[in-house]
Amino acid sequence: MADAPAPTTDYTDEELEAGRLLFARPCTFVKSVVRTADLPPDGPVEVAFAGRSNVGKSSLLNALVGQNALARTSNTPGRTQALNYFDLADGSLLLVDMPGYGFAKAPKHLVDGWNQLIHDYLRGRQSLRRLCVLIDARHGLKSSDISLMEGLDSAAVSYQIVLTKRDKISVPQLDKLIAEIAVTLKKHPAAIPTVLATSSRKGLGMAELRAELAMLAAPAVSD
């Protein structure tokens, strides 16, 4: 399928190298949070990852940090049932794996509890610098994604669209999808206009995503 570079914003060699160096450092699991009261104190920069269940979120996190078993992967949608915190580079950046939305096979009261946790986290977390909204490149934006984006706009939470499984579609299809999403993002004030396209299986787009996140963590990295 499509192994050519995705049509996204170019990054300088220095930015790509900063991303490589940051994500070459150890990344360790910190804690799972199921209640707002259990969130760690605001401090290091946090980047969270959200997406529909089975979008490939855990696979992307594992590929991003180069550790096969950091985040659990499963063929069963909805297995991430908490805010899972990972510490990159001794506190330079915290990665937060959020519960997938849609299709979770769990009792309604548990799903409602996760939704409330996510709502409270997104609206009240000062350390959260960006939310990466993962979208399966084969399916594009769905109504549940748009609903999340509208909520993020309302809460003034900066977010960026990150396509997953880009190797599963052709280059023309990828070009068309990114162009369509770019038009949609113009209607969403909290959205970062740059769309990143990745493949966890082939490592495509990971260098660019690392560079983007390293720019957010730059003040902490330089200390």
Side-chain angles (χ1 to χ4, degrees), residues 49-106:
F49 297 80
R52 297 192 307 271
S53 295
N54 221 21
V55 75
K57 182 158 48 67
S58 294
S59 295
L60 180 136
L61 281 168
N62 288 335
L64 187 64
V65 301
Q67 298 175 218
N68 291 333
L70 183 74
R72 180 174 61 179
T73 59
S74 172
N75 290 325
T76 303
R79 288 293 298 273
T80 301
Q81 300 174 358
L83 298 175
N84 292 315
Y85 270 79
F86 301 95
D87 181 0
L88 180 67
D90 297 325
S92 295
L93 182 65
L94 291 177
L95 307 178
V96 185
D97 185 8
M98 301 182 65
Y101 45 91
F103 310 116
K105 294 182 178 180

